[in-house]
Each structure stands twice: as structure tokens, then as C-alpha cells.
Amino acid sequence: MNKTISLWGQSLYRQFSLMLANQPKLGYYLHPLLRWNKPQLHPDYHSARIVDFCWETDQMLSVWLEPASSWAGFTPGQHLLVTMMHQGRYISRSFSISSSSAVFARQKQIRISCRIQSQGEFTKALAAGISEFTHLSISDAMGDFVLEPKVDAALEQSIVMVAAGSGITPLWSMLSSLRCWTSPVVLFYCVKNAAQAAFLAELKLLAAKQPLFELQLIETATCGRLNLVQQLKAKAGFSLTKAFYYVCGPAAMSRQYKDELIQQGAPSTAIYTELFGLAVTAAEGPVKQALFMQQGKLTTVEAAAGVSLLQAAEHQGLNPRFGCRIGVCYQCVCQKKSGQVLNLRTGQISGDGPEQIQLCISAAHSNLQIEL
């Protein structure tokens, strides 16, 4: 009997030792208890208490969060990954912070503003449960789409901002954080109509108070799509080659404006873009075979041209790790053993050999072997 107890104890000790060796964070051990008490919290991220919420428009929800003291803060223009529990699993989405750095310094609060997408699992779940949620999980702030002083620029150098729809969120964070205005700033805000323009009242107030700020509201339903180069050429004393550009919106729009500005002589280093969605799609082509290896199990997946490997794997019943699904958070990075992939954001084709890829923005260009 004593021998049996001793063997049982040794087995338990070995299992506990293996667990200690394989869990990098203390939060993983407490995770079952955390999920029972606060199911929205995730051990990989910071807890953020929901302070308040409001509707900016009939399609855009703003949520005020108070991050835990472990959260290090942000630079205006940056984004973060927001995670919550939905139907028994964690889902995540990337959002730009839409509040000022001054509010965080003073109140330790930040705001995220998200357009509720009819096909978006995360935003629909957030809107449906926002009155009952108490906490969300957030990542560290990330991204280099930020408005910072340029040491090699003249103080009078102009700043041009272009926002389409919810692309206003990082730009409003930048504008509302500015305390020392040394350069003229013009914002082209493109929306279907004024009723869909979030933060419009605040932007108009800023334009009335700040002589260096100009707001141009482009209502595409009545005046059509913005011709950025034409608008800038019509501005008296404006030089296309002597300005900084910040463009945030759909990938196709951002890419087109960047190409047009470069054609007019604007340096590419002066153009900053934040993309929503994928910039390119793959051409039609034959279906490829992707061999996924996960915990010693091999699964063959049919990978259609233009379809992300993440979607292809999920369609086959696999459950790869993912986060933002737009190539921002790098949670879906895995090892490609062989074969070529097409980057759906840049259009670049990889080499044939081993390398790390992002499943959410990679499509099969040839037959593949991938280790999850």
C-alpha cells in the first residue's frame, strides 16, 4: 500500500514538474479559476475594466476602458488587440485607440471605437454583450502609425491626414493629443454622409479653435470619391513634396493614394498608412495542397487561390492560433517547411524553403508543408 502511494506521489510530482517547465506564466496556472470568476480575462494579456460605452453613430460603438496597472500606455495612433470569451472560446480583434494621451495620463483610461460589421463575429458579439461585460483583455499597444516630431523637418512643414470611415480613430487620437501646434494640418474625412462621421462635433470644435487645423468633410454619397492630389494642388501655397501624409482606411484606398502621391514627387518615407483588410488578392488559379502538421497529426487541406491559409485550415476543421486576422498581431505565425506562399497584403511571393509565415495573410502559391 505504501509503495503504491509512493509511486502515485512520484507520478504526480513528475506531472507537476512538467507543467512547471511548460508554462511560461503564473497566470496559466490560475487560468481555470480566472475563467470561472472573470471569463473575459486571458492570461496572455492585460485586464481592462469597462468604464462606460456609447454609440458615436448608429454603426460605431465606443468603449471606455481602464487598463490594469501592468499596461504600459500608448503613443497616439497605435492599436491594440482586444480579446473576449465568446461561445466558449477566445476571439480577438485589433482596434486603434481613439482617445488622447492626455486622458490616459490624467484618468488612466483609453477608448476604443469600432464599427459594427454585419459579418464581423467580434464586433457583433461586443455590441450584443456590452451592457453585461465588466472586463476585456487587451494587449500592449503596438504599431508605428504615430505622429511624432521629425527632427529633420522644418517646423512649418504641412501634415495631411486622410481618414475613411472608422479610419478616423487613430487620427483623432493624434489630433486630440496635440498640445503644441507648429505645423498646419488638414484632415480629409471621407464618409458616406455626415450622419456616419464619428467625432464630427469634436473635429468641428477643434477647427474653430485651432487656426492651424482645417477639416474637409467628404460626403461620398453626394460628392463622390476624394481626389486627393487634385484637392491638394488646389490649395494655395501647398507643396505636395513638402508634407507628411497619414492615410488610414481600406487597403485599396490607402495604396492608391500612396502611389498617386509618389508619382507627384512626394517621398515614400513621408507617407504613412494604416490598412484595413488585405491590400491585394491572389489571381485565380488551381487549388493547391497544404499539408498541415499539428502535434504529430497530418492533415491535408485544399488551399484555393486568394484564400488565406488560416481560412483554409479552419474550413478543414483545424483550429490554428489566431488573433486579428489582418496581419497585425502575429499570433498566427507558424513554420512553413516547404513550398511558396503569396502575401495577401504585399503581393510578394515567398521562397521555397523553411521560414515563418502569417497564416491569416498568406495564400498558397504552390503545394505546401506547414507546421502549426
Short mmCIF file of all heavy atoms in Angstrom, two decimals, residues 17 35 42 50 73 122 259 278 283 287 315 326 344 357 360 362 371:
data_model
loop_
_atom_site.label_atom_id
_atom_site.label_comp_id
_atom_site.label_asym_id
_atom_site.label_seq_id
_atom_site.Cartn_x
_atom_site.Cartn_y
_atom_site.Cartn_z
N SER A 17 6.03 18.82 -12.29
CA SER A 17 7.29 19.36 -12.78
C SER A 17 7.20 19.67 -14.27
O SER A 17 7.69 20.70 -14.74
CB SER A 17 8.44 18.38 -12.52
OG SER A 17 8.59 18.15 -11.13
N ARG A 35 -11.11 32.00 -15.41
CA ARG A 35 -12.20 31.80 -16.36
C ARG A 35 -13.53 31.62 -15.63
O ARG A 35 -14.57 32.07 -16.12
CB ARG A 35 -11.93 30.59 -17.25
CG ARG A 35 -10.94 30.85 -18.34
CD ARG A 35 -10.86 29.71 -19.33
NE ARG A 35 -12.13 29.54 -20.04
CZ ARG A 35 -12.28 28.69 -21.06
NH1 ARG A 35 -11.26 27.96 -21.47
NH2 ARG A 35 -13.44 28.57 -21.65
N HIS A 42 -7.82 36.91 -20.14
CA HIS A 42 -6.91 35.95 -20.78
C HIS A 42 -5.53 36.14 -20.17
O HIS A 42 -5.06 37.27 -20.02
CB HIS A 42 -6.87 36.23 -22.28
CG HIS A 42 -6.18 35.16 -23.07
ND1 HIS A 42 -4.82 34.94 -23.00
CD2 HIS A 42 -6.67 34.24 -23.94
CE1 HIS A 42 -4.49 33.95 -23.81
NE2 HIS A 42 -5.58 33.50 -24.39
N ILE A 50 -14.27 47.72 -18.08
CA ILE A 50 -15.14 48.57 -18.90
C ILE A 50 -15.75 49.64 -18.01
O ILE A 50 -16.49 49.35 -17.07
CB ILE A 50 -16.24 47.73 -19.58
CG1 ILE A 50 -15.61 46.73 -20.54
CG2 ILE A 50 -17.24 48.63 -20.32
CD1 ILE A 50 -16.60 45.80 -21.21
N GLY A 73 0.82 51.89 -21.46
CA GLY A 73 0.42 53.12 -22.13
C GLY A 73 0.60 53.01 -23.64
O GLY A 73 0.89 51.94 -24.18
N PHE A 122 -16.55 39.40 -33.93
CA PHE A 122 -16.14 40.08 -32.71
C PHE A 122 -17.03 41.29 -32.43
O PHE A 122 -17.55 41.45 -31.32
CB PHE A 122 -14.68 40.51 -32.79
CG PHE A 122 -14.14 41.06 -31.50
CD1 PHE A 122 -13.41 40.26 -30.65
CD2 PHE A 122 -14.39 42.37 -31.12
CE1 PHE A 122 -12.93 40.76 -29.43
CE2 PHE A 122 -13.93 42.88 -29.91
CZ PHE A 122 -13.19 42.07 -29.07
N ASP A 259 0.42 55.62 -54.02
CA ASP A 259 1.00 55.55 -55.37
C ASP A 259 0.87 56.89 -56.09
O ASP A 259 1.82 57.36 -56.75
CB ASP A 259 0.32 54.45 -56.18
CG ASP A 259 0.66 53.05 -55.69
OD1 ASP A 259 1.65 52.92 -54.92
OD2 ASP A 259 -0.06 52.10 -56.04
N LEU A 278 -7.04 43.36 -46.42
CA LEU A 278 -5.89 42.93 -47.20
C LEU A 278 -5.72 43.82 -48.41
O LEU A 278 -6.67 44.22 -49.06
CB LEU A 278 -6.07 41.47 -47.63
CG LEU A 278 -6.23 40.48 -46.47
CD1 LEU A 278 -6.42 39.09 -46.99
CD2 LEU A 278 -5.06 40.57 -45.51
N ALA A 283 -4.59 36.06 -57.82
CA ALA A 283 -5.29 35.77 -59.06
C ALA A 283 -5.89 34.37 -58.98
O ALA A 283 -5.47 33.54 -58.19
CB ALA A 283 -4.32 35.87 -60.24
N VAL A 287 -6.32 24.87 -57.35
CA VAL A 287 -6.28 24.62 -55.91
C VAL A 287 -4.98 23.89 -55.57
O VAL A 287 -4.56 22.97 -56.26
CB VAL A 287 -7.50 23.78 -55.48
CG1 VAL A 287 -7.37 23.36 -54.02
CG2 VAL A 287 -8.78 24.58 -55.69
N HIS A 315 -11.61 25.72 -42.39
CA HIS A 315 -12.64 25.05 -43.17
C HIS A 315 -12.50 23.52 -43.10
O HIS A 315 -13.48 22.79 -43.19
CB HIS A 315 -12.58 25.52 -44.62
CG HIS A 315 -13.66 24.95 -45.49
ND1 HIS A 315 -14.98 25.34 -45.40
CD2 HIS A 315 -13.63 24.01 -46.48
CE1 HIS A 315 -15.71 24.67 -46.26
NE2 HIS A 315 -14.92 23.85 -46.93
N ILE A 326 -5.79 40.08 -39.69
CA ILE A 326 -5.43 41.05 -40.74
C ILE A 326 -3.92 41.30 -40.80
O ILE A 326 -3.47 42.30 -41.34
CB ILE A 326 -6.18 42.38 -40.57
CG1 ILE A 326 -5.88 43.01 -39.20
CG2 ILE A 326 -7.67 42.21 -40.80
CD1 ILE A 326 -6.43 44.41 -39.04
N LEU A 344 -0.87 38.24 -48.98
CA LEU A 344 -2.06 38.91 -49.47
C LEU A 344 -2.07 40.41 -49.20
O LEU A 344 -2.89 41.13 -49.75
CB LEU A 344 -3.31 38.27 -48.84
CG LEU A 344 -3.58 36.83 -49.27
CD1 LEU A 344 -4.69 36.21 -48.43
CD2 LEU A 344 -3.94 36.77 -50.75
N ILE A 357 5.69 32.19 -41.45
CA ILE A 357 4.67 32.91 -42.21
C ILE A 357 3.50 33.23 -41.28
O ILE A 357 3.34 32.62 -40.23
CB ILE A 357 4.15 32.10 -43.42
CG1 ILE A 357 3.51 30.78 -42.94
CG2 ILE A 357 5.27 31.83 -44.42
CD1 ILE A 357 2.77 30.03 -44.02
N CYS A 360 -2.88 34.21 -41.58
CA CYS A 360 -4.05 35.00 -41.93
C CYS A 360 -3.85 35.84 -43.18
O CYS A 360 -4.83 36.28 -43.81
CB CYS A 360 -4.47 35.89 -40.77
SG CYS A 360 -3.33 37.24 -40.41
N SER A 362 -1.49 34.86 -45.70
CA SER A 362 -0.73 34.03 -46.65
C SER A 362 -1.68 33.10 -47.38
O SER A 362 -2.54 32.46 -46.78
CB SER A 362 0.34 33.20 -45.93
OG SER A 362 1.29 34.03 -45.30
N GLU A 371 3.94 23.53 -40.38
CA GLU A 371 3.89 23.01 -39.01
C GLU A 371 3.22 24.04 -38.12
O GLU A 371 3.68 25.17 -38.00
CB GLU A 371 5.31 22.73 -38.49
CG GLU A 371 5.31 22.12 -37.11
CD GLU A 371 6.70 21.74 -36.65
OE1 GLU A 371 7.67 21.95 -37.40
OE2 GLU A 371 6.81 21.22 -35.51
#
